[in-house]
Amino acid sequence: MSTIQDIQFSDAIMSRINEYIARYPEGRQKSAILPILHLVQDEYGWMSEPVMNKVAEILSIKPIEVYEVVTFYTMYNLKPVGKYKLEFCGTSCCVLRGAENLMDYTLNKLGIKEGETTADGLFTVTRVECLGACGYAPMMQVGDDYLEHLTPESIDEFIESRRNTVK
Amino acid sequence: MGRKIILEHYNVPNLKDYEVYRSVGGYRAVEKALKSMTPDEVVQEVKRSGLRGRGGAGFPTGMKWSFIAKPEGKPRYLLCNADESEPGTFKDRYMMQYNPHFLIDGMICSAYALGCNTAYIYVRGEYKFIIKILEKAILEAKANGWLGKNILGTGYDLEIYVHTGAGAYICGEETALIESIEGKRGNPRIKPPFPAVSGLYGCPTVVNNVESLAVVSWIIQNGGDEYSKIGLGNSTGTKLISASGNIRKPGVYEIELGLSVEEFMYSDEYCGGMQHEGRDLKAVVAGGSSVPILPKELILKTASGENRLMTYESLSDGGFKTGTMLGSGGFIVYDEAACIVRNTWNFSRFYHHESCGQCSPCREGTGWLEKVLHRVEHGTGRWADIDLLVEITKKIEGNTICPFGDAASWPVASAVRHFRHEFEYHVRYPEKIKNREHFASEPMRLFMNEFVK
């Protein structure tokens, strides 16, 4: 288990962090917490305690203030996830266009249950609430991207292409 | 063809690039406002337009602006609400994706009117691709002198920043959004004080929806009177509608307020009718998941038999007994194969998941709703559950700090009100609803005679 001393954000990340902090008035650096957490999650994959404590140190706030935020907002991973996190929208509009069957199809294909990660560490599949793509349903989010108008074929294609990339 | 304001130039390629946006008349409104109008004149122009908040509540924008306090020595803030999370709503994303400068254009005019020197666009965290587009557009606008210090030599300063959310529906509520920008959990604040007096960092703040702020540029350029000529009665102007569900052409459409629901539903210019041939329309949620669901008969015509129109007034005609709301314009269409119980359970799961947990009626009540609906939908419902659902909604509605409690209650109350027979069917025939697509082959109408007396 790494400790806060082991965590050292890269210069590139630190310069982005300072850029975010500068968007808010002096003394209001805590405002930058959400974008900063996105940034470090992109780097570390999830919100480990040392990472959160490091963010607290940078923002000059108590660690509990970071934990409070991380546990409130659903986009932060509280445990490690696969390289590709497939987040299926499971709210009504997507369900009307077959989201439930499609997610089952994906889980079966990967041989995992909802919330689990494949043994090779590549894919995690979860169900999330409305992602604001109702007109292009069914859809899922993977990282920064939205994959819309999904079909079993496009799911197959996506999974194969990602498997090939890492081979 | 209806009048287009927001989507006027959507066939122009690369509209999101600064030069292209300029070539279609972009930023002329800023020039006009900053060089030839006082801030108060801009507010008056917006008041004259009759523009109402496009995020869902429909409160007159100009009036909201006139409430902003102007104490000496305190900055004022303009916040653009791009948290767009109401199920069924994806219009702001569409606009920002294809025409980000239109929003910045309108925001500069609005910030000038309110005397704000800093504005934030609160974008939901999932819209990462939109954030990139907006940040690029802000840089372009700044590089061309529309943002920064002493804009156009007028002495007016303004910075616009993007603030990223992180997946919380409640942050679309304006005081939760403010808390979130302050770096905290998105727990709504008790009002008063209203944000106009004490908002972000305790300073006077105005929060407006993306669409509301964007059209301000059109209003400044063309005049509030011109805008108010579009639309019908107190529903002036145009509105973006996000259409989804069982229709042939899901997508974002700009309509002139006053269009009939029937034309919007069936015309090829808009939804294009039902997705599957031979499957009739069952119900519509007209303004995002929070507004009451209406059955076919009541969405196409009001209870008094008049054509239902896409206006704030017509959609709410009849109150909640027989009407609904325009809300955010999230138009969700259900055909006969859709199960209203399953849909209501789905919505309740959403509200339970998204409740911030501050007020017990909402925190506990949304959980109960989800649980009771889950058992009705999964074949273990009891007869008393149907009335129990209504009872729970009454205990939540009006008993919470923010309108989330109401938003969680209305879909359930209206589903039982208009589709009680479907709930009864679920309790009576638990074995028939085992397959989750239970109405796909045997639509509910086949059993209606048995249930409707």
Side-chain angles (χ1 to χ4, degrees), chain A residues 16 19-25 27-39 41-42 59 61 64-76 87 90-105 114 127-137 139 141 143-146 148-149, chain B residues 77 84-90 93-94 118 120 122 124-129 132 135 161-168 170-171 176 179-187 200-202 243-248 250-252 275 332-335 338-339 342-343 345-347 349-351 353-357 436-437:
Chain A
R16 292 280 305 278
E19 198 186 303
Y20 282 135
I21 292 174
R23 294 181 179 186
Y24 306 92
R28 302 289 183 178
Q29 72 281 1
K30 187 181 172 183
S31 282
I33 190 168
L34 297 183
I36 290 175
L37 289 171
H38 281 298
L39 201 61
Q41 177 160 286
D42 286 347
L59 291 175
I61 56 176
I64 183 76
E65 293 176 78
V66 181
Y67 309 159
E68 275 179 355
V69 164
V70 166
T71 52
F72 184 84
Y73 296 90
T74 53
M75 287 182 74
Y76 302 121
E87 300 176 284
T91 313
S92 180
C93 316
C94 276
V95 169
L96 285 174
R97 315 231 5 152
E100 288 173 323
N101 291 343
L102 207 64
M103 185 168 153
D104 286 351
Y105 173 83
E114 188 184 331
R127 174 195 175 281
V128 294
E129 296 296 350
C130 187
L131 290 172
C134 322
Y136 324 104
M139 65 81 65
Q141 177 167 29
D144 290 4
D145 300 319
Y146 274 21
E148 297 166 336
H149 300 293
Chain B
Y77 292 101
E84 191 166 65
S85 313
E86 172 89 358
T89 315
F90 48 100
R93 166 207 165 170
Y94 186 78
T118 310
Y120 295 99
Y122 187 103
R124 66 178 297 180
E126 293 90 341
Y127 284 176
K128 286 190 181 168
F129 53 105
K132 287 176 198 160
E135 298 213 309
Y161 301 107
V162 172
H163 181 95
T164 318
I170 191 61
C171 291
E179 287 282 302
S180 185
I181 297 189
E182 291 185 0
K184 296 181 253 174
R185 295 164 77 93
N187 289 346
L200 184 62
Y201 312 127
S244 68
N246 301 128
I247 43 174
R248 206 161 56 75
V252 176
Q275 179 190 8
I332 314 170
V333 178
Y334 300 84
D335 70 19
C339 170
R342 190 167 186 83
N343 177 67
W345 165 56
N346 186 296
F347 280 158
R349 183 166 58 177
F350 172 84
Y351 288 106
H353 180 260
E354 300 295 341
S355 172
C356 81
R436 71 184 173 204
E437 284 164 359

Side-chain angles (χ1 to χ4, degrees), chain B residues 340-377:
Chain B
I340 300 301
V341 177
R342 190 167 186 83
N343 177 67
T344 312
W345 165 56
N346 186 296
F347 280 158
S348 289
R349 183 166 58 177
F350 172 84
Y351 288 106
H352 182 211
H353 180 260
E354 300 295 341
S355 172
C356 81
Q358 244 189 142
C359 314
S360 4
C362 174
R363 180 186 63 239
E364 304 302 324
T366 52
W368 292 0
L369 287 176
E370 187 197 344
K371 206 157 120 187
V372 174
L373 281 159
H374 181 275
R375 69 178 181 233
V376 175
E377 166 63 11

